[in-house]
């Protein structure tokens, strides 16, 4: 170790003044010797010292660089002067890329003059013909591929009568190897009809929503690859008159090949013979549909049903909208917007109708009953005095309502059953065109762009002033069950799929319709109406307060079967379905049985565990205690699941209930 230290010191002293330049002293050498004598260190770390250049030398180098730089001409761009400097003399000269010819030197540069800002390329430069190159290569590739495929065809013809009975091209996939390219040719041996048959004629058939015979004809045409035009009487009600004129009856389905009437389902079943079908199709190949055939429905235009009957009070309400002073007023330390006083309305009615004050108050109550006006806090129908009211179009919930299209519906209100029936028929037509066979998957993009959906949205305005208090309990149940499923489809098509807890809360809480003069969101319909004003999961308040007018519409009790008929637009929710008022209870039971046929309930006998859908966990209060829940569920199970569950319940042993994770992804 000492000998190595001696060599290090000698080498350091042999360098020309290194110790003096770097500031190394004798004390450093003494420390180095002491460090070497320590037997605990096997390696020596030598500190690297930075060499500090004197400021004078640094300044000299800087001045030298500045002397070699070339000053440029001042270029003025956008009012600013830019200076372009030339390269240092020590740097290597740039060389021209391949393909460029060296330009003659600029005399101004040789004389140390200023550089020009930009110079054009030399005229001697020739750009390669890249386009011609790729075309030649493409033609050579195409020729090679064509020859390869032609050789396959020739070999197939030559080897067709092979003595061994083997065809070298029997494989469906053949590879052709070219230089740098591998081409794979797949033969299409599918002889079945996998695309629509192109013909000049037209197949038309009249149908109705939720018709089994119409669904059978629709499936037959799709199976055979035949294009057809469907004319739904529920979507285009004016076409029913044409149907009666052409067939002498209003029953559906009725199929036409061009202008010729074929008939209904029985006549179509006779065409399942391939010979008969081929004969009919040949007639459609070359002959266009004449003008006297059923016309194609025109999209984007509503049927001209004549002028709708306006409300009897429309003349009075129009006068009041013009004469009443609409202001923001202070009431209960709160600013109430766009309202008027009851006394002001009474005075306006007296002047307009020349009637007494009592008669004016009765007219005001009639306007409130028809939902033209509402009390700002919903306290009373109408009273004379310092009570504030507002028109329906001025309500704060109007901007959030998706069935309000610029103005209120001033026509005579239709019954809730009539409006609900029309909306349900349009939804059936939507599902028949844009839903899977099992109704578990929907094409929301197609729905949003469809004529059926456009007409559905236009029809929802009739819900604004319907009288839903006249409905019976079963009619309310049917009306709001169907409306909930329709609103979910409308919400997904317009707003989109919610992502995350916050988006779902806004989706089910903010998307709403005006129904009977009041706002109804998805949560209000489900928890306030169908669940008899019960708290929704993870909520501390009920949907309706004690003074809420909508509380009168709520059902008196909860039917737990509703949870198997409401579709949330998710994969774990029940499939989309719509109900009829006469057999709503039977349809709900069928919905529950179908729901439990899937993965919503699984019984594991060995682990004594029952796996249930998360829907039951959220609304367990509607089903009762967990032990009673299993006894209730067994009534709606098929034998393969009811048997094991009954075995677990009969031995009176402990049973574990595990709730499955809910899939919130969209049911597309």
């Amino acid at each position: 170790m000492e000998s190595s230290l001696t060599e290090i010191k000698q080498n350091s002293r042999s360098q020309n003044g290194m110790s003096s330049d770097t500031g190394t002293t004798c004390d450093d050498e003494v420390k180095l010797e002491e460090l070497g004598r320590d037997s605990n260190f096997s390696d020596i770390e030598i500190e690297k010292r930075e060499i500090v250049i004197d400021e004078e030398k640094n300044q000299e180098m800087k001045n030298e660089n500045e002397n070699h730089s070339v000053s440029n001409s001042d270029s003025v761009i956008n009012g600013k002067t830019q200076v372009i400097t030339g390269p240092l003399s020590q740097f290597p000269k740039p060389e021209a890329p391949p393909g460029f010819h060296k330009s003659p030197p600029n005399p101004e540069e040789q004389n140390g003059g200023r550089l020009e800002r930009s110079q054009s390329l030399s005229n001697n430069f020739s750009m390669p013909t890249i386009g011609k190159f790729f075309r030649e290569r493409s033609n050579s590739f195409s020729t090679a591929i064509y020859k390869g495929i032609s050789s396959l065809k020739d070999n197939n013809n030559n080897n067709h009568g092979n003595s061994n009975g083997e065809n070298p091209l029997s494989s469906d996939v053949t590879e052709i190897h070219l230089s740098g390219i591998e081409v794979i040719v797949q033969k299409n041996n599918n002889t079945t009809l996998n695309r629509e048959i192109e013909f000049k004629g037209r197949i038309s058939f009249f149908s109705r929503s939720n018709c089994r015979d119409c669904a059978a004809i629709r499936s037959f045409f799709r199976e055979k690859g035949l294009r057809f035009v469907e004319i739904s009487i529920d979507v285009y009600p004016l076409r029913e008159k044409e149907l009666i004129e052409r067939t002498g009856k209003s029953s559906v389905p009725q199929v036409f090949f061009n202008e010729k009437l074929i008939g209904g389902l029985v006549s179509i079943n006779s065409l399942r013979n391939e010979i008969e079908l081929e004969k009919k199709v040949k007639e459609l190949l070359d002959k266009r549909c004449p003008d006297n055939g059923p016309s194609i429905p025109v999209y984007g235009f509503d049927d001209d049903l004549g002028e709708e009957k306006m409300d009897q009070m429309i003349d009075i309400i129009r006068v009041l909208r013009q004469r009443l002073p609409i202001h923001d007023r202070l009431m209960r330390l709160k600013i109430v917007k766009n309202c008027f006083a009851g006394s002001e309305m009474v005075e306006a009615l007296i002047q307009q109708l020349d009637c007494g004050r009592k008669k004016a108050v009765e007219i005001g109550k009639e306007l409130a009953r028809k939902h033209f006006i509402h009390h700002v806090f919903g306290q009373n129908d109408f009273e004379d005095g310092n009570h504030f009211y507002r028109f329906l179009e001025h309500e704060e919930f109007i901007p959030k309502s998706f069935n309000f299209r610029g103005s209120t519906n001033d026509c005579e209100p239709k019954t809730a059953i009539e409006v609900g029936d029309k909306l349900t028929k349009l939804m059936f037509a939507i599902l028949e065109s844009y839903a899977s066979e099992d109704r578990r998957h929907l094409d929301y993009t197609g729905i949003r762009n469809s004529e059926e959906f456009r007409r559905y949205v236009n029809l929802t305005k009739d819900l604004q002033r319907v009288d839903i208090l006249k409905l019976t309990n079963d009619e309310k149940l049917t009306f709001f069950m169907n409306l909930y499923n329709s609103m979910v489809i409308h919400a997904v098509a317009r707003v989109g799929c919610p992502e995350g807890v916050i988006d779902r809360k806004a989706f089910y809480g903010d998307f709403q319709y005006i129904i009977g003069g009041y706002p109804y969101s998805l949560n209000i319909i489900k928890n306030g109406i169908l669940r008899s004003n019960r708290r929704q999961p993870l909520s501390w308040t009920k949907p309706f307060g004690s003074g809420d007018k909508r509380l009168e519409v709520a059902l008196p009790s909860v039917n737990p079967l509703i949870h198997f008929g409401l579709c949330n637009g998710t994969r774990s929710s029940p499939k989309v379905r719509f109900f009829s008022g006469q057999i709503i209870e039977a349809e709900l039971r069928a919905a529950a049985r179908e729901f439990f046929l899937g993965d919503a309930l699984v019984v594991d006998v060995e682990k004594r565990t029952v796996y249930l859908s998360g829907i039951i966990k959220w609304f367990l209060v509607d089903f009762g205690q967990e032990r009673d829940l299993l006894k209730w569920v067994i009534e709606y199970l098929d034998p393969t699941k009811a048997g094991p569950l009954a075995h677990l319940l009969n031995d009176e042993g402990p049973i574990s209930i595990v709730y499955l994770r809910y899939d919130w992804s969209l049911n597309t």
Side-chain angles (χ1 to χ4, degrees), residues 387-624:
H387 303 279
F388 295 111
Y389 303 87
R390 63 163 63 101
F391 291 106
L392 178 61
E393 57 267 26
H394 294 157
E395 292 284 0
E396 296 179 352
F397 54 78
I398 284 295
K400 298 181 180 180
S401 301
F402 282 78
N403 66 332
F404 180 82
R405 304 180 65 82
S407 61
T408 55
N409 185 13
D410 293 336
C411 298
E412 188 70 26
K414 301 179 178 64
T415 62
I417 295 179
E418 180 184 358
V419 177
D421 184 59
K422 290 182 178 180
L423 293 175
T424 301
K425 288 180 178 179
L426 286 173
M427 273 296 162
F428 269 122
I430 289 174
L431 294 182
E432 289 167 355
S433 300
Y434 303 100
S436 59
E437 293 294 334
D438 58 359
R439 304 292 174 87
R440 294 188 179 277
H441 306 282
L442 278 70
D443 178 14
Y444 290 101
T445 303
I447 292 174
R448 182 172 58 251
N449 300 325
S450 66
E451 175 68 12
E452 295 88 345
F453 182 72
R454 188 192 68 83
R455 291 178 178 247
Y456 166 84
V457 174
N458 290 342
L459 189 60
T460 55
K461 70 179 187 301
D462 292 341
L463 294 169
Q464 294 177 4
R465 298 193 302 111
V466 295
D467 190 357
I468 53 182
L469 293 176
K470 295 181 179 180
L471 297 175
T472 63
N473 290 335
D474 286 346
E475 290 172 345
K476 286 181 186 178
L477 180 61
T478 304
F479 177 82
F480 282 103
M481 289 282 293
N482 292 338
L483 192 59
Y484 181 92
N485 291 336
S486 301
M487 288 177 64
V488 169
I489 296 176
H490 187 182
V492 175
R494 288 301 187 199
V495 180
C497 177
E499 298 180 359
V501 178
I502 298 177
D503 290 342
R504 285 195 291 269
K505 183 178 180 181
F507 180 86
Y508 295 104
D510 294 343
F511 189 90
Q512 60 188 18
Y513 282 175
I514 306 173
I515 306 173
Y518 296 97
Y520 287 82
S521 65
L522 293 170
N523 280 336
I524 290 294
I525 293 177
K526 185 173 186 177
N527 302 294
I529 305 299
L530 299 177
R531 297 186 62 233
S532 188
N533 198 30
R534 289 191 175 183
R535 299 181 182 91
Q536 68 181 34
L538 304 179
S539 178
W540 295 98
T541 59
K542 294 182 178 181
F544 303 141
S546 58
D548 200 318
K549 292 289 185 180
R550 295 171 293 181
L551 189 59
E552 303 176 12
V553 187
L555 293 174
S557 60
V558 182
N559 186 347
L561 293 175
I562 63 172
H563 298 292
F564 311 118
L566 297 176
C567 178
N568 295 330
T570 58
R571 293 186 180 273
S572 291
S573 66
K575 75 174 188 179
V576 185
R577 64 173 71 237
F578 295 94
F579 304 90
S580 58
Q582 294 79 11
I583 54 174
I584 180 65
E585 186 68 23
E587 290 176 331
L588 286 175
R589 290 178 178 272
R593 293 189 183 95
E594 185 174 354
F595 181 72
F596 287 121
L597 280 176
D599 298 333
L601 186 144
V602 179
V603 180
D604 191 337
V605 179
E606 295 181 357
K607 296 182 179 180
R608 301 188 62 84
T609 302
V610 178
Y611 299 90
L612 287 174
S613 170
I615 297 177
I616 299 178
K617 176 183 178 181
W618 299 334
F619 303 100
L620 186 60
V621 65
D622 298 343
F623 296 94

Side-chain angles (χ1 to χ4, degrees), residues 309-311 314 317 321 372 408-412 465:
K309 183 179 179 181
M310 303 303 293
D311 195 282
I314 188 60
I317 202 67
R321 286 170 177 168
F372 282 112
T408 55
N409 185 13
D410 293 336
C411 298
E412 188 70 26
R465 298 193 302 111

